[in-house]
Amino acid sequence: MATVLSVFKPTGELAQAITNFQPRAAQQQMAEAIAATVKKKGQLVVEAETGTGKTFAYLAPVLLGKGKAIISTGTKNLQEQLFHRDLPTLRKVLAPEKVVALLKGRSNYLCLHRMEQAVQQAGQFNKDIQSQLITVKRWSTSTRSGDMGELNALSEDASVLPQVTSTQDNCLGRDCPVYEDCHLVKARKEAMEADIVVVNHHLFFADMALKDTGFGELIPSVDTVVFDEAHQIPDIASQYFGETVSSRQLSELCEELQRLCMTELKDLSQGSAMARTLLQTLKDWRLLFPRDPMRGNWRDWRKKPEVAEVAERVQERLTLLTEVMKTAIGRNKDLDNLHERAEQHLYIWRQLMDVDRTGYSFWFETTPRHVSLHQTPLSVAKTFGGYIKRNKMSWVFTSATLAVNGQFDYFTKRLGIEEADTLLLESPFDFASQAKLCLPRYLPEANDPNRHQMLTEIAEQCVQVNRGGTFLLFTSHRMLQQMAAILRDRLDRDILVQGESGKTELLETFTKKGNAVLLGTSSFWEGVDVRGEALRCVIIDKLPFASPDDPLLNARVEDARLRGVDAFSTIQLPQAIIALKQGAGRLIRDKDDSGVLIVCDSRLVTRQYGKQFLSSLPAMSRTRDLNQALEFLAQVAEKDETKNEELTSS
């Protein structure tokens, strides 16, 4: 029988499953530490730098261990990679008898009831939605899982999706007429019966916070929980332990009620009229905020007379709408659900109007059409830490970026993890020879409005020398758009810009082109794995300190000050260091990768805290001379060209 120790030997099970497997001491060390944690029902926090092989390091002890396990990942893409590629590879040689399941959030599954509703109401939709609805209806007859990710004919943001999937708000639960055939119910049943369940962090905390009706029983039934990409957990947990209400939710409720009043409840004309009135008030509500999307402090905006007046009107009309629906309760299950949603939204709205409560950040966020109000706890340490203490199971937290200056305090304190063992594993890659870090001289200050001109010159020089692809990572959309406009005029390469198409599509195009330039903000700083010649240069515009306008950050900073704690060193700096480590981690993804990382922020050398950033980055060779970085890039390009010529001739 395989043991964790034998799995990673040169002749072990991993060598049987993976071609050209190379044993790694750090990988084995991590696997053994996890096996020990699982055995003693303990807690373990592991930073495993790029190249450690952390996925197999936690899969092996989970597959060999007893009891049920949950593996939670940061994104749906990583979730699918784990379930469809990594887990089957190792399961085949270690534990073929174990049953595994993939479980996503409810909005990823086709809702048969809502699809049939949409078909009946098709005349009320535009032609695009009608066409997409036909595609969904045809697919629904052949799919087994109901996972909308299978339907490649639709884009990730197809307009029809909200009409054919459910939310916690509009799901009828056991009252649904097609409950027995529900794809989500079947997926949850499979998860309950499986030995290993692969979820994502959002789904995990929806379960833990009991924010998803009928889905609070999975976590208590497991023996081991492994969080991959664990650095995301504190912020995601905060979302689920808070409350939110948005004009989008209220508008969707009104529109659903109007469609119901035009089809099955034609005599409830007062409901349709009230929905129309509330919809108009919600439009007035959006007009009170700046046109461009933004985040802001809701406590401050709540004090404005014009905002308070329209907020009161929204509350009055939502209250009236709720009263009108109440008169028809029992006549229609969908109406009953709408009434329940309206009451819940009204309850949260009233909470969000009371901004004098302490311990929370009250903030808002706008899109071009909607406004969301949020109440977010300043700390989840007490809630999450208490949950871990009460549930005697094994907890493993791992990521390539958890430590700051070799210490895990920033991460563990945010989650209230007081008894965890910690392990810091360095990458097996030879960063000193594979990569060069450049901090160019004579850079303008980080707040200089014309600094994009210098960044453009640096980017131009790098792209001209670079035979492969280039990432430009920004901390603001404004700078990204400025640079994109200029570079499109000056470069003869393909320029790919975040927002012009989906992230997955952009990355596929970037990798396929092999020498493109991709400009992205926060979502491209992590979870991106481009190897080889397709990515040889990463340029970061400045240190990723959170925006000073971020209301949640401001609330945490103010709370730290009230407690007599230095907010910069305990909150802002560690957060920025981890973000920079994530961005830098895009460059070297393989032992054969080479490239240049350029950080265009002089604070790395002019400020005392710059040393903490540098000590947290991989041990690349460093230079202040841009010409040396360009020379290194030229050498990499020459090697790539030679290699390609050899492959062509052979």
PDB file of all heavy atoms in Angstrom, residues 306-323:
ATOM      1  N   GLU A 306     -29.982  65.027  -0.290  1.00  0.00           N
ATOM      2  CA  GLU A 306     -30.622  64.483  -1.494  1.00  0.00           C
ATOM      3  C   GLU A 306     -30.550  62.957  -1.533  1.00  0.00           C
ATOM      4  O   GLU A 306     -31.465  62.277  -2.024  1.00  0.00           O
ATOM      5  CB  GLU A 306     -29.993  65.083  -2.765  1.00  0.00           C
ATOM      6  CG  GLU A 306     -28.529  64.742  -3.002  1.00  0.00           C
ATOM      7  CD  GLU A 306     -27.527  65.626  -2.292  1.00  0.00           C
ATOM      8  OE1 GLU A 306     -27.921  66.277  -1.303  1.00  0.00           O
ATOM      9  OE2 GLU A 306     -26.358  65.668  -2.717  1.00  0.00           O
ATOM     10  N   VAL A 307     -29.436  62.396  -0.990  1.00  0.00           N
ATOM     11  CA  VAL A 307     -29.293  60.938  -0.936  1.00  0.00           C
ATOM     12  C   VAL A 307     -30.267  60.360   0.089  1.00  0.00           C
ATOM     13  O   VAL A 307     -30.953  59.360  -0.174  1.00  0.00           O
ATOM     14  CB  VAL A 307     -27.840  60.540  -0.580  1.00  0.00           C
ATOM     15  CG1 VAL A 307     -27.731  59.044  -0.316  1.00  0.00           C
ATOM     16  CG2 VAL A 307     -26.885  60.953  -1.697  1.00  0.00           C
ATOM     17  N   ALA A 308     -30.356  60.992   1.249  1.00  0.00           N
ATOM     18  CA  ALA A 308     -31.274  60.526   2.296  1.00  0.00           C
ATOM     19  C   ALA A 308     -32.718  60.552   1.811  1.00  0.00           C
ATOM     20  O   ALA A 308     -33.511  59.636   2.098  1.00  0.00           O
ATOM     21  CB  ALA A 308     -31.114  61.397   3.545  1.00  0.00           C
ATOM     22  N   GLU A 309     -33.056  61.599   1.038  1.00  0.00           N
ATOM     23  CA  GLU A 309     -34.435  61.741   0.543  1.00  0.00           C
ATOM     24  C   GLU A 309     -34.811  60.604  -0.406  1.00  0.00           C
ATOM     25  O   GLU A 309     -35.867  59.966  -0.261  1.00  0.00           O
ATOM     26  CB  GLU A 309     -34.587  63.087  -0.174  1.00  0.00           C
ATOM     27  CG  GLU A 309     -35.989  63.328  -0.708  1.00  0.00           C
ATOM     28  CD  GLU A 309     -36.064  64.532  -1.637  1.00  0.00           C
ATOM     29  OE1 GLU A 309     -35.135  65.370  -1.601  1.00  0.00           O
ATOM     30  OE2 GLU A 309     -37.032  64.603  -2.409  1.00  0.00           O
ATOM     31  N   VAL A 310     -33.948  60.319  -1.389  1.00  0.00           N
ATOM     32  CA  VAL A 310     -34.275  59.266  -2.364  1.00  0.00           C
ATOM     33  C   VAL A 310     -34.186  57.887  -1.708  1.00  0.00           C
ATOM     34  O   VAL A 310     -34.970  56.986  -2.016  1.00  0.00           O
ATOM     35  CB  VAL A 310     -33.352  59.348  -3.601  1.00  0.00           C
ATOM     36  CG1 VAL A 310     -33.694  58.248  -4.594  1.00  0.00           C
ATOM     37  CG2 VAL A 310     -33.503  60.712  -4.279  1.00  0.00           C
ATOM     38  N   ALA A 311     -33.253  57.705  -0.771  1.00  0.00           N
ATOM     39  CA  ALA A 311     -33.158  56.435  -0.048  1.00  0.00           C
ATOM     40  C   ALA A 311     -34.455  56.163   0.702  1.00  0.00           C
ATOM     41  O   ALA A 311     -34.944  55.024   0.752  1.00  0.00           O
ATOM     42  CB  ALA A 311     -31.982  56.465   0.920  1.00  0.00           C
ATOM     43  N   GLU A 312     -35.051  57.219   1.279  1.00  0.00           N
ATOM     44  CA  GLU A 312     -36.329  57.081   1.985  1.00  0.00           C
ATOM     45  C   GLU A 312     -37.446  56.702   1.011  1.00  0.00           C
ATOM     46  O   GLU A 312     -38.318  55.880   1.315  1.00  0.00           O
ATOM     47  CB  GLU A 312     -36.656  58.405   2.692  1.00  0.00           C
ATOM     48  CG  GLU A 312     -37.916  58.362   3.548  1.00  0.00           C
ATOM     49  CD  GLU A 312     -37.823  57.394   4.714  1.00  0.00           C
ATOM     50  OE1 GLU A 312     -36.705  57.180   5.220  1.00  0.00           O
ATOM     51  OE2 GLU A 312     -38.872  56.839   5.103  1.00  0.00           O
ATOM     52  N   ARG A 313     -37.392  57.287  -0.199  1.00  0.00           N
ATOM     53  CA  ARG A 313     -38.409  56.960  -1.212  1.00  0.00           C
ATOM     54  C   ARG A 313     -38.304  55.501  -1.645  1.00  0.00           C
ATOM     55  O   ARG A 313     -39.303  54.821  -1.840  1.00  0.00           O
ATOM     56  CB  ARG A 313     -38.263  57.870  -2.441  1.00  0.00           C
ATOM     57  CG  ARG A 313     -38.728  59.285  -2.220  1.00  0.00           C
ATOM     58  CD  ARG A 313     -39.375  59.892  -3.460  1.00  0.00           C
ATOM     59  NE  ARG A 313     -38.642  59.692  -4.687  1.00  0.00           N
ATOM     60  CZ  ARG A 313     -37.768  60.552  -5.205  1.00  0.00           C
ATOM     61  NH1 ARG A 313     -37.484  61.660  -4.554  1.00  0.00           N
ATOM     62  NH2 ARG A 313     -37.178  60.308  -6.345  1.00  0.00           N
ATOM     63  N   VAL A 314     -37.055  55.025  -1.826  1.00  0.00           N
ATOM     64  CA  VAL A 314     -36.863  53.616  -2.185  1.00  0.00           C
ATOM     65  C   VAL A 314     -37.474  52.724  -1.107  1.00  0.00           C
ATOM     66  O   VAL A 314     -38.205  51.770  -1.402  1.00  0.00           O
ATOM     67  CB  VAL A 314     -35.356  53.284  -2.353  1.00  0.00           C
ATOM     68  CG1 VAL A 314     -35.159  51.776  -2.499  1.00  0.00           C
ATOM     69  CG2 VAL A 314     -34.769  54.003  -3.564  1.00  0.00           C
ATOM     70  N   GLN A 315     -37.202  53.059   0.152  1.00  0.00           N
ATOM     71  CA  GLN A 315     -37.708  52.239   1.261  1.00  0.00           C
ATOM     72  C   GLN A 315     -39.236  52.260   1.304  1.00  0.00           C
ATOM     73  O   GLN A 315     -39.878  51.218   1.497  1.00  0.00           O
ATOM     74  CB  GLN A 315     -37.138  52.757   2.585  1.00  0.00           C
ATOM     75  CG  GLN A 315     -37.524  51.905   3.787  1.00  0.00           C
ATOM     76  CD  GLN A 315     -36.726  52.267   5.026  1.00  0.00           C
ATOM     77  OE1 GLN A 315     -35.506  52.418   4.950  1.00  0.00           O
ATOM     78  NE2 GLN A 315     -37.399  52.416   6.155  1.00  0.00           N
ATOM     79  N   GLU A 316     -39.830  53.442   1.117  1.00  0.00           N
ATOM     80  CA  GLU A 316     -41.295  53.564   1.136  1.00  0.00           C
ATOM     81  C   GLU A 316     -41.929  52.724   0.034  1.00  0.00           C
ATOM     82  O   GLU A 316     -42.908  51.999   0.261  1.00  0.00           O
ATOM     83  CB  GLU A 316     -41.703  55.034   0.955  1.00  0.00           C
ATOM     84  CG  GLU A 316     -41.460  55.906   2.175  1.00  0.00           C
ATOM     85  CD  GLU A 316     -41.764  57.361   1.888  1.00  0.00           C
ATOM     86  OE1 GLU A 316     -42.169  57.684   0.734  1.00  0.00           O
ATOM     87  OE2 GLU A 316     -41.586  58.194   2.801  1.00  0.00           O
ATOM     88  N   ARG A 317     -41.371  52.812  -1.176  1.00  0.00           N
ATOM     89  CA  ARG A 317     -41.979  52.116  -2.311  1.00  0.00           C
ATOM     90  C   ARG A 317     -41.741  50.611  -2.259  1.00  0.00           C
ATOM     91  O   ARG A 317     -42.580  49.824  -2.688  1.00  0.00           O
ATOM     92  CB  ARG A 317     -41.472  52.739  -3.607  1.00  0.00           C
ATOM     93  CG  ARG A 317     -42.144  54.088  -3.796  1.00  0.00           C
ATOM     94  CD  ARG A 317     -41.601  54.996  -4.831  1.00  0.00           C
ATOM     95  NE  ARG A 317     -42.323  56.268  -4.725  1.00  0.00           N
ATOM     96  CZ  ARG A 317     -42.118  57.311  -5.509  1.00  0.00           C
ATOM     97  NH1 ARG A 317     -41.198  57.244  -6.458  1.00  0.00           N
ATOM     98  NH2 ARG A 317     -42.817  58.409  -5.354  1.00  0.00           N
ATOM     99  N   LEU A 318     -40.596  50.206  -1.714  1.00  0.00           N
ATOM    100  CA  LEU A 318     -40.352  48.780  -1.521  1.00  0.00           C
ATOM    101  C   LEU A 318     -41.308  48.236  -0.460  1.00  0.00           C
ATOM    102  O   LEU A 318     -41.823  47.110  -0.588  1.00  0.00           O
ATOM    103  CB  LEU A 318     -38.897  48.555  -1.106  1.00  0.00           C
ATOM    104  CG  LEU A 318     -38.462  47.101  -0.872  1.00  0.00           C
ATOM    105  CD1 LEU A 318     -38.736  46.231  -2.103  1.00  0.00           C
ATOM    106  CD2 LEU A 318     -36.979  47.034  -0.507  1.00  0.00           C
ATOM    107  N   THR A 319     -41.577  49.043   0.568  1.00  0.00           N
ATOM    108  CA  THR A 319     -42.531  48.635   1.610  1.00  0.00           C
ATOM    109  C   THR A 319     -43.926  48.462   1.020  1.00  0.00           C
ATOM    110  O   THR A 319     -44.617  47.466   1.275  1.00  0.00           O
ATOM    111  CB  THR A 319     -42.573  49.682   2.745  1.00  0.00           C
ATOM    112  OG1 THR A 319     -41.261  49.853   3.286  1.00  0.00           O
ATOM    113  CG2 THR A 319     -43.524  49.253   3.852  1.00  0.00           C
ATOM    114  N   LEU A 320     -44.371  49.425   0.196  1.00  0.00           N
ATOM    115  CA  LEU A 320     -45.686  49.345  -0.442  1.00  0.00           C
ATOM    116  C   LEU A 320     -45.783  48.140  -1.371  1.00  0.00           C
ATOM    117  O   LEU A 320     -46.803  47.437  -1.401  1.00  0.00           O
ATOM    118  CB  LEU A 320     -45.969  50.641  -1.221  1.00  0.00           C
ATOM    119  CG  LEU A 320     -46.298  51.872  -0.375  1.00  0.00           C
ATOM    120  CD1 LEU A 320     -46.365  53.117  -1.257  1.00  0.00           C
ATOM    121  CD2 LEU A 320     -47.634  51.678   0.350  1.00  0.00           C
ATOM    122  N   LEU A 321     -44.703  47.909  -2.132  1.00  0.00           N
ATOM    123  CA  LEU A 321     -44.691  46.768  -3.052  1.00  0.00           C
ATOM    124  C   LEU A 321     -44.844  45.463  -2.266  1.00  0.00           C
ATOM    125  O   LEU A 321     -45.575  44.552  -2.672  1.00  0.00           O
ATOM    126  CB  LEU A 321     -43.377  46.752  -3.838  1.00  0.00           C
ATOM    127  CG  LEU A 321     -43.247  45.676  -4.921  1.00  0.00           C
ATOM    128  CD1 LEU A 321     -44.229  45.919  -6.049  1.00  0.00           C
ATOM    129  CD2 LEU A 321     -41.828  45.624  -5.467  1.00  0.00           C
ATOM    130  N   THR A 322     -44.153  45.387  -1.133  1.00  0.00           N
ATOM    131  CA  THR A 322     -44.235  44.195  -0.288  1.00  0.00           C
ATOM    132  C   THR A 322     -45.659  43.990   0.221  1.00  0.00           C
ATOM    133  O   THR A 322     -46.180  42.867   0.229  1.00  0.00           O
ATOM    134  CB  THR A 322     -43.266  44.332   0.915  1.00  0.00           C
ATOM    135  OG1 THR A 322     -41.962  44.601   0.427  1.00  0.00           O
ATOM    136  CG2 THR A 322     -43.228  43.056   1.739  1.00  0.00           C
ATOM    137  N   GLU A 323     -46.323  45.094   0.605  1.00  0.00           N
ATOM    138  CA  GLU A 323     -47.699  45.012   1.104  1.00  0.00           C
ATOM    139  C   GLU A 323     -48.661  44.560   0.010  1.00  0.00           C
ATOM    140  O   GLU A 323     -49.579  43.778   0.255  1.00  0.00           O
ATOM    141  CB  GLU A 323     -48.132  46.376   1.669  1.00  0.00           C
ATOM    142  CG  GLU A 323     -47.391  46.803   2.926  1.00  0.00           C
ATOM    143  CD  GLU A 323     -47.600  45.832   4.078  1.00  0.00           C
ATOM    144  OE1 GLU A 323     -48.730  45.335   4.246  1.00  0.00           O
ATOM    145  OE2 GLU A 323     -46.617  45.551   4.788  1.00  0.00           O
TER     146      GLU A 323
END
